[in-house]
Amino acid sequence: MSQIANCKVRVVGLLKLLSQVSGFFLLLLMLPSTGLWAAQEKISLNNINLVYSSTYQEFKKLGFRPRKDVDPVHFDLPFDWSADPYDDRNWVFQLQAWRMIDSVLRQYRRTQDEKYLKEAFSIILDWHNYYKGNGNIDHMQWYDMATGIRAMKLAWLWQELANYPFLILPADAEKIRVLMRQHIEKLLDESFLAHGNHAYFQLVGLRLLCLAEVNSEVCSNESEYNSKKMFSLLERQFTGEGVHKENSPAYHFFTLKTIRQLNIQGLYGREVLELIDRASRVSPHLVYPNSMVARIGDSSGSYSADLNFYSEPMVLNGVKCQVGDFSKSGYFSIRTLPDTLIEDSSQLFITGISFSDEAHNHADELSFELFHRGELVFVDSGKYSYNKDEFRRYVISASAHNTLSLDGLPSRPQDVDIPGSKLISVNFSDSSVRVSGKLTRPGQFEHKRVFELKPFHLLEIYDDFHEKLSIIDMFRKFFNDYSLVSNLHVNPKLVVDVVSADTVEVPGYAIVKLKSEDCELNVFSGREKPLLGWVSFGYNEISPSSVIQARCPNSSGFLKWEISLL
């Protein structure tokens, strides 16, 4: 090689080195050192909502699979971030929340190999290029909860980047910082803040981003704004008794878990601990003896932690019972003691919760579930899914619950007079407990209901009802024959035998007798038009279920269900 050529090689090498060094110093300038080290003490990988849906090896071999009930989707970069292979909003949400990065970050935590950090940045940059570089727009791109979860990941990764200044190119680091600021600006927009539990993820994501980017002017008002919104959210989400107000016991547990996992008490102060304590006292009453969460509203799943009851047992009808009277909030529960054998365990759960402006609400006011002799006997319809299809519309309607409804005119969750608890009184005697409630569905009917339980031998349900149809619905009734009905949904696992014109039996569990001069007894299962007698025990899964129905042709009346427990 000639001296000139050799000199050129050395110059090129020197220029490359200078470029890398200048890029290194540029990156150091991007990373605000003092604030960054402060943030490192506060941003933990344990507090950015990583979920486990698959291992890293499964992700690389099979693809993106956010839930076990869907098949993996092959994931290579560049990726089509507008993909929706299953016409499933939840799947799209998981995609936009970068859930595939969760397994990558868990692999990094396990190995401490920086290549996994680089892979996480590559996925984020691909998302950025898809929307920013290619000008694509997607309706779920800035979905509220997904934006908050992305913000948490960005904050933690930006913090971790200080340990690996050569990991990504300075130009890519600048893209990440721009993306962070874009998320901060979006999350500071008050009109973008969700009303329900999604707001926890948004506010925590915003706080973590500003901890990681403390020198950013865009964060100057974050502390005051964020704290004010967080405490307003907590106050709005829980009643004074500690009951979560999104109409679903499962979301009571979800929100408590979220508060703990996101370290909200650490980020916002000790006042949060007082709320956690009140809500924790409610929790054990929302779980059946087999660990299944009461299936009210959009509830599903189980709660396997130890149940620590804070109140002393009561003795009713000679039976020691654990009572959870949260009737001011909309729940009442009575059950056998937790040390009772599962085959001898029973529980009655009554709901009157009706915060209609909240999410996850069903038209299930004055409905109930009954667990007896180790099995859920009378069941709620379940969540089914969040897709807006025919079955979703059915399961949130009053027809799908153990309460009063109009057959032929669906009662929707918003068809209530005023939000709040529809349980108005709870009274005890030596042998029984009596729970009363009242509900008005404007333009449809007024319903008064009384539950009287002699644990755990006899449950009597009294329904007093008066039709209050609007003028339009009176006209429709003339042609469509609307009738008031009282439904009891039976677990699909169990058999229903018709004994007589007014009596049916659920063998081994209950004998149900209808007492009414005007209403007639029918049993349905899996009716298709209109839908009736369907129960969901899994996401996107629904099965036929026997419905014991009292059909009442008159516009007002009274009926009584007499349920003898075997």
Side-chain angles (χ1 to χ4, degrees), residues 148-182:
I149 293 171
R150 290 199 306 261
M152 296 179 209
K153 291 183 173 73
L154 284 167
W156 184 87
L157 283 162
W158 187 253
Q159 163 190 278
E160 199 68 9
L161 190 59
N163 298 322
Y164 305 96
F166 289 109
L167 187 69
I168 61 176
L169 295 173
D172 288 337
E174 177 61 22
K175 287 181 181 179
I176 297 295
R177 187 166 70 163
V178 168
L179 192 56
M180 289 170 63
R181 293 195 176 192
Q182 192 177 10

Side-chain angles (χ1 to χ4, degrees), residues 485-532:
V485 295
S486 182
N487 292 326
L488 303 176
H489 293 76
V490 179
N491 191 328
K493 293 167 57 176
L494 305 181
V495 175
V496 175
D497 293 333
V498 177
V499 177
S500 66
D502 62 2
T503 305
V504 298
E505 181 176 2
V506 184
Y509 297 97
I511 295 175
V512 181
K513 190 175 185 68
L514 171 63
K515 295 193 173 182
S516 172
E517 294 181 357
D518 303 313
C519 307
E520 66 173 5
L521 184 70
N522 295 290
V523 177
F524 298 95
S525 179
R527 193 177 76 183
E528 295 184 355
K529 290 185 179 181
L531 290 174
L532 180 68

Side-chain angles (χ1 to χ4, degrees), residues 84 98 136 154 163 169 190 196 216 228 244 285 347 355 372 376 378 419 430 433-434 465 482 535 545 551 565:
D84 184 7
W98 300 341
N136 292 306
L154 284 167
N163 298 322
L169 295 173
E190 189 171 358
S216 174
K228 179 181 177 181
H244 187 249
H285 298 279
Q347 182 169 354
F355 296 96
H372 184 57
L376 195 57
F378 295 104
D430 290 340
V433 58
R434 189 178 179 92
F465 48 88
Y482 297 160
V535 169
S545 164
R551 187 179 186 88
L565 302 177

Side-chain angles (χ1 to χ4, degrees), residues 96-373:
Q96 292 294 337
W98 300 341
R99 285 299 191 197
M100 72 295 299
I101 291 179
D102 294 13
S103 62
V104 180
L105 295 184
R106 287 199 311 273
Q107 184 73 357
Y108 167 72
R109 177 168 56 189
R110 189 177 70 82
T111 64
Q112 292 299 301
D113 190 330
E114 64 189 72
K115 72 180 182 181
Y116 298 111
L117 285 181
K118 190 169 185 177
E119 182 175 357
F121 277 115
S122 297
I123 293 172
I124 293 172
L125 289 166
D126 187 71
W127 184 92
H128 174 270
N129 292 335
Y130 181 84
Y131 289 111
K132 186 73 173 178
N134 299 328
N136 292 306
I137 298 175
D138 191 284
H139 73 285
M140 292 288 281
Q141 175 188 358
W142 292 105
Y143 184 66
D144 51 19
M145 184 174 172
T147 303
I149 293 171
R150 290 199 306 261
M152 296 179 209
K153 291 183 173 73
L154 284 167
W156 184 87
L157 283 162
W158 187 253
Q159 163 190 278
E160 199 68 9
L161 190 59
N163 298 322
Y164 305 96
F166 289 109
L167 187 69
I168 61 176
L169 295 173
D172 288 337
E174 177 61 22
K175 287 181 181 179
I176 297 295
R177 187 166 70 163
V178 168
L179 192 56
M180 289 170 63
R181 293 195 176 192
Q182 192 177 10
H183 277 68
I184 291 171
E185 290 170 354
K186 191 75 175 176
L187 292 168
L188 278 170
D189 180 355
E190 189 171 358
S191 66
F192 181 61
L193 186 63
H195 189 68
N197 65 73
H198 293 189
Y200 292 110
F201 299 86
Q202 292 178 282
L203 292 171
V204 170
L206 173 61
R207 176 137 296 184
L208 295 186
L209 275 178
C210 285
L211 285 172
E213 183 78 336
V214 290
N215 292 336
S216 174
E217 292 182 3
V218 74
C219 287
S220 58
N221 297 321
E222 178 275 333
S223 180
E224 181 181 358
Y225 166 82
N226 200 327
S227 294
K228 179 181 177 181
K229 291 299 181 183
M230 177 59 77
F231 286 110
S232 175
L233 173 65
L234 291 167
E235 183 178 346
R236 189 174 69 245
Q237 282 253 295
F238 289 88
T239 70
E241 293 178 312
V243 172
H244 187 249
K245 292 167 68 175
E246 287 199 48
N247 308 289
S248 305
Y251 279 89
H252 181 95
F253 290 106
F254 173 81
T255 302
L256 269 180
K257 181 180 178 181
T258 297
I259 289 171
R260 292 186 176 110
Q261 285 188 341
L262 299 183
N263 190 31
I264 290 177
Q265 66 272 24
L267 292 170
Y268 294 88
R270 293 186 59 84
E271 293 175 58
V272 181
L273 292 174
E274 298 175 8
L275 184 145
I276 291 175
D277 180 65
R278 288 198 305 274
S280 297
R281 292 173 180 269
V282 176
S283 297
H285 298 279
L286 309 182
V287 182
Y288 295 132
N290 65 350
S291 298
M292 183 181 292
V293 174
R295 294 158 34 81
I296 304 304
D298 277 338
S299 293
S300 62
S302 60
Y303 182 76
S304 57
D306 291 336
L307 300 180
N308 297 313
F309 291 92
Y310 294 86
S311 58
E312 290 296 319
M314 297 180 66
V315 178
L316 297 172
N317 200 34
V319 179
K320 283 188 176 182
C321 301
Q322 201 73 54
V323 176
D325 180 4
F326 308 104
S327 52
K328 292 179 180 178
S329 303
Y331 290 150
F332 178 85
S333 171
I334 180 169
R335 57 164 289 167
T336 50
L337 298 186
D339 59 358
T340 306
L341 293 174
I342 186 69
E343 59 266 27
D344 298 324
S345 296
S346 298
Q347 182 169 354
L348 172 66
F349 190 94
I350 299 170
T351 179
I353 195 167
S354 183
F355 296 96
S356 57
D357 59 336
E358 300 290 347
H360 307 296
N361 192 19
H362 289 202
D364 56 7
E365 294 87 353
L366 306 187
S367 182
F368 72 99
E369 286 194 310
L370 179 69
F371 184 95
H372 184 57
R373 294 188 60 185

